Amino acid sequence: MPSRTDLANAIRALSMDAVQKANSGHPGMPMGMADIAEVLWNDYLRHNPANPHWDNRDRFILSNGHGSMLHYSLLHLSGYDLPIDELKQFRQMHSKTPGHPEYGYTDGIETTTGPLGQGVTNAVGMAIAEKLLAARFNTDSYKIVDHFTYVFLGDGCLMEGISHEACSLAGTLGLGKLIAFYDDNGISIDGEVEGWFTDDTVKRFESYGWHVIADVDGHDPDAIHMAIRNARAEPDKPTIICCKTIIGKGSPNKEGKEECHGAALGDEEIALTRKSIGWSHPPFEIPDEIYAGWDAKKTGAGLEEDWDFQFSKYENAYPELAAEYKRRMSAQLPTDWAAGAAEFVASVNAKAEKIATRKASQNAIEGLAPMLPELLGGSADLAGSNLTMWSGSKGMTAKADGDANYIHYGVREFAMSAIMNGIVVHGGFIPYGGTFLVFSDYARNAVRMAALMKVQSIFVYTHDSIGLGEDGPTHQPVEHVSSLRIIPGMHVWRPCDAVESAVSWKVAIERKNQPSALIFSRQGLPHQSRSDAQIADIEKGGYVLLDGGANPDAIIIATGSEVELAVAAANALAGKNIRVVSIPCLEIFEEQDDDYKEAVLPSAVTARVAVEAGVPHIWKGYVGFNGKVIGMTSFGESAPAGDLFKHFGFTVDNVVAAVNDVLA
């Protein structure tokens, strides 16, 4: 039977060999955390390599994702569908071993990591999901939701501001099933971190309300084993295990130095390392007894089989709970969803009220949430402005119960967004979270990660333009809508009234493989009259809202609050056939077939004006060289909204003048 050191050295060998073959990567962290990983994966981690999606598996997240060969080595050795040839293709085109772990590429990768701090924040989201699901579905006799979230993180993760946001909230919420391992090796890319990172990590996490296990020798398996046992025994607090490690452990000339952080060791140093750690096997060759020591397939199958047996008993005892659990974990909407959502949209249309779309958004949540117990809301300390709470909202606390469906994130926009991503990839919830649109900048990298992972996070952004008024340019977004639109895979909705707002929520809830940004106004917007066919066409992202005939003289394109201007301008242009096109979601409109897009925006009509209270760049492609865009070419000002719209040219007279210009 191989020793623990032999098992850990398999990680070191695979990691340094793969990085060397690619001549790219980070061997130091995998070599330094190999001993910790070996104890965790072989003694504690509950998982089944044959079914990486088993509901009750423990989640493992590599927040310091640059050390991805650690994770790939673990998956390969323990029996996941990651053959040795994939490790040989580390960082190569279309391999299952990209430079940083990517969700959806490789079985066993729970989330995309690499941007430091986001992995641990995703882990907070996973632990939140576990805690809330356990409170909802577990009974005195059956603990069907009962798993841990383990996360590896390094100095870089702890330096990033998002880790402060997320770990603070994790302590407040008492996430006892979250266990973090801090790789305290004292090295980052620029060298020894004592020149720029002197935080007292122990005191920091104690102040957050975490259980802190300090000064663990990260190369002593017995000490690591005891630390994990103690962490698991603390039910009411998340735990951080502070492990002293040596980066590049085993490399005679580079261990403990930044030289092994982000570059291949080199053939000569690898040969010396093999001799130093007693690893005599050629590159990518793992002896059978090492594989046998790592193999988790039999144990994992047994764990899942035991859980399946318990779930079958649970299902017999609590059939309705079991059915609801399976529906939510399979991300299926309720059977009455389609009819209920359609009825709600029709009711909104029938009201025909002038209303701020942020209020229309709250009404949509109020109307749709009772059908969706999986809808998990939140706001970054702006619930009263974002209007993200509804009458059935119940905040999560450290003593969460099964009815909790709202998270008070505090002033933590970045953490909120990354936590939502973690909640989604865990399963069982559709999360939404709100802030002002201008603060989407704080959260942008997490929003980008949602799009990269193709997950259903719903980002609610209010106060969408200069229309918020007196708060001034610091709070008035002008570039933000366009900035979100250029993220691949992001659906950006900017509805013009309550009906489009309701549809935006409906579509965001139904789209399982994409995030959505729902962007709402502070000021009241009038109802726009539509036929049933036009209401149906809202789901296509863009449609003809007002049309004077089959051959329009000019087309006005608008979104959000500017649709009102477009309609008023069209009505003011007496004697001309003016078409108004509302495009609440440009990305979905672009997904439509060419025939539909041509029917809405006929190419023969070159007289076009686009109106949006934001930067004009995206719309220039829709109006062409002969068209005009009325937009923002500067930051805003501090003044009442009406004065601002007039000052910056968002008036009926200005739109009419622009149309006359393009028709001249």
Side-chain angles (χ1 to χ4, degrees):
M1 181 69 181
S3 68
R4 285 193 179 277
T5 300
D6 292 333
L7 296 174
N9 282 340
I11 296 173
R12 293 186 173 100
L14 287 173
S15 297
M16 66 183 182
D17 289 341
V19 172
Q20 184 65 31
K21 187 174 187 299
N23 195 29
S24 174
H26 300 76
M29 187 280 273
M31 297 172 73
M33 295 196 80
D35 298 302
I36 305 168
E38 187 278 321
V39 174
L40 174 62
W41 278 60
N42 284 324
D43 291 3
Y44 288 102
L45 195 73
R46 293 169 55 87
H47 63 123
N48 182 6
N51 181 13
H53 306 292
W54 171 37
D55 287 352
N56 203 43
R57 68 192 182 278
D58 289 338
R59 271 64 170 177
F60 174 78
I61 297 91
L62 192 72
S63 190
N64 41 355
H66 54 272
S68 57
M69 268 310 303
L70 173 69
H71 207 164
Y72 300 144
S73 298
L74 290 165
L75 295 173
H76 170 73
L77 291 166
S78 60
Y80 284 78
D81 182 19
L82 192 66
I84 196 70
D85 285 346
E86 291 290 347
L87 274 63
K88 293 178 181 179
Q89 293 300 307
F90 179 54
R91 290 184 163 230
Q92 305 308 301
M93 183 75 74
H94 303 312
S95 75
K96 292 184 179 180
T97 51
H100 293 84
E102 292 189 37
Y103 178 76
Y105 262 62
T106 311
D107 286 345
I109 299 298
E110 300 284 1
T111 186
T112 299
T113 60
L116 294 176
Q118 287 201 61
V120 64
T121 309
N122 292 165
V124 171
M126 294 178 197
I128 286 173
E130 191 276 341
K131 184 166 186 169
L132 290 176
L133 287 170
R136 175 69 181 91
F137 291 103
N138 288 353
T139 68
D140 290 340
S141 301
Y142 300 101
K143 301 293 186 287
I144 61 163
V145 182
D146 185 16
H147 52 265
F148 285 86
T149 301
Y150 298 102
V151 56
F152 282 10
L153 53 85
D155 294 303
C157 290
L158 293 183
M159 282 186 265
E160 286 286 359
I162 189 175
S163 73
H164 295 255
E165 297 180 25
C167 294
S168 170
L169 184 60
T172 299
L173 295 179
L175 302 179
K177 292 291 187 70
L178 173 63
I179 299 175
F181 296 81
Y182 167 34
D183 180 30
D184 184 8
N185 60 36
I187 297 292
S188 65
I189 290 178
D190 282 354
E192 296 181 6
V193 300
E194 63 184 13
W196 47 86
F197 183 55
T198 57
D199 296 15
D200 189 328
T201 299
V202 170
K203 289 182 180 177
R204 169 184 163 187
F205 277 82
E206 285 176 346
S207 76
Y208 291 157
W210 283 54
H211 174 214
V212 181
I213 302 175
D215 297 321
V216 175
D217 183 345
H219 304 298
D220 181 345
D222 292 335
I224 299 163
H225 180 89
M226 182 65 69
I228 299 172
R229 188 176 74 175
N230 291 341
R232 287 165 55 96
E234 172 50 74
D236 299 323
K237 296 180 179 181
T239 296
I240 184 168
I241 302 172
C242 301
C243 301
K244 291 288 185 180
T245 63
I246 300 172
I247 192 170
K249 172 73 171 172
S251 170
N253 298 304
K254 295 187 177 183
E255 71 172 20
K257 301 176 181 178
E258 66 269 20
E259 287 94 325
C260 68
H261 181 282
L265 297 181
D267 290 331
E268 183 177 341
E269 186 66 14
I270 285 178
L272 292 173
T273 302
R274 275 185 155 75
K275 184 176 180 180
S276 172
I277 65 176
W279 189 266
S280 59
H281 315 290
F284 299 105
E285 184 176 303
I286 305 295
D288 289 343
E289 61 268 24
I290 297 292
Y291 276 126
W294 273 104
D295 192 356
K297 293 192 292 293
K298 182 178 179 180
T299 301
L303 290 169
E304 184 172 357
E305 185 178 336
D306 290 345
W307 184 83
D308 286 342
F309 177 69
Q310 289 298 314
F311 190 85
S312 66
K313 294 170 65 177
Y314 172 80
E315 195 167 21
N316 287 331
Y318 303 97
E320 291 183 1
L321 270 180
E324 178 67 1
Y325 171 83
K326 290 196 291 187
R327 180 191 72 78
R328 287 176 56 171
M329 290 304 291
S330 62
Q332 298 298 311
L333 292 172
T335 54
D336 61 351
W337 164 258
E343 182 180 346
F344 173 73
V345 172
S347 72
V348 172
N349 185 58
K351 287 182 180 178
E353 61 182 334
K354 179 176 182 177
I355 189 172
T357 54
R358 63 169 174 164
K359 180 60 179 176
S361 169
Q362 184 181 47
N363 291 346
I365 299 169
E366 187 76 40
L368 300 174
M371 294 184 280
L372 296 168
E374 61 265 46
L375 200 60
L376 180 59
S379 177
D381 202 50
L382 287 169
S385 293
N386 300 149
L387 304 184
T388 46
M389 297 186 77
W390 61 291
S391 62
S393 291
K394 185 172 185 178
M396 181 183 182
T397 68
K399 298 184 182 300
D401 62 42
D403 294 327
N405 60 5
Y406 195 88
I407 299 171
H408 292 279
Y409 286 101
V411 187
R412 301 181 177 100
E413 296 89 354
F414 194 2
M416 174 182 71
S417 304
I419 286 170
M420 287 164 56
N421 293 342
I423 290 169
V424 174
V425 297
H426 178 280
F429 293 98
I430 301 172
Y432 69 90
T435 187
F436 290 165
L437 176 58
V438 75
F439 299 139
S440 63
D441 280 347
Y442 283 151
R444 185 176 180 81
N445 203 262
V447 175
R448 180 179 185 270
M449 296 300 285
L452 181 64
M453 291 194 288
K454 300 179 175 67
V455 298
Q456 190 186 17
S457 293
I458 300 176
F459 304 103
V460 177
Y461 298 127
T462 67
H463 297 60
D464 68 335
S465 71
I466 57 172
L468 68 90
E470 291 87 344
D471 277 339
T474 61
H475 283 55
Q476 292 168 3
V478 295
E479 75 273 29
H480 296 74
V481 177
S482 289
S483 178
L484 290 167
R485 284 178 180 140
I486 64 174
I487 299 175
M490 174 64 67
H491 281 176
V492 181
W493 285 85
R494 188 168 182 251
C496 75
D497 67 358
V499 176
E500 287 189 358
S501 298
V503 171
S504 74
W505 268 105
K506 175 180 180 292
V507 174
I509 288 167
E510 292 173 350
R511 291 267 178 149
K512 296 299 179 183
N513 62 347
Q514 285 179 295
S516 298
L518 310 184
I519 298 174
F520 301 115
S521 72
R522 178 191 185 191
Q523 72 273 27
L525 303 180
H527 171 76
Q528 300 295 333
S529 297
R530 302 174 183 84
S531 67
D532 290 344
Q534 287 173 308
I535 293 175
D537 283 345
I538 295 172
E539 295 194 26
K540 297 177 181 177
Y543 63 103
V544 178
L545 176 63
L546 183 68
D547 205 10
N551 299 299
D553 297 316
I555 299 173
I556 306 174
I557 305 167
T559 75
S561 53
E562 289 69 68
V563 170
E564 174 187 6
L565 283 180
V567 171
N571 290 331
L573 286 159
K576 295 184 174 66
N577 180 359
I578 307 299
R579 173 177 292 187
V580 175
V581 172
S582 176
I583 305 187
C585 185
L586 191 57
E587 298 75 32
I588 294 179
F589 180 68
E590 284 297 332
E591 294 172 4
Q592 306 309 307
D593 60 43
D594 290 342
D595 288 344
Y596 179 78
K597 287 186 285 187
E598 174 67 19
V600 173
L601 294 173
S603 53
V605 183
T606 59
R608 300 182 182 187
V609 173
V611 191
E612 185 173 63
V615 293
H617 306 81
I618 282 178
W619 297 111
K620 291 181 178 179
Y622 288 84
V623 301
F625 291 114
N626 297 323
K628 286 184 175 292
V629 180
I630 300 173
M632 292 291 298
T633 57
S634 69
F635 293 110
E637 297 282 351
S638 179
D643 294 344
L644 290 170
F645 280 121
K646 183 177 181 180
H647 174 75
F648 287 106
F650 296 98
T651 64
V652 173
D653 288 345
N654 198 36
V655 177
V656 168
V659 173
N660 284 328
D661 282 349
V662 298
L663 285 171

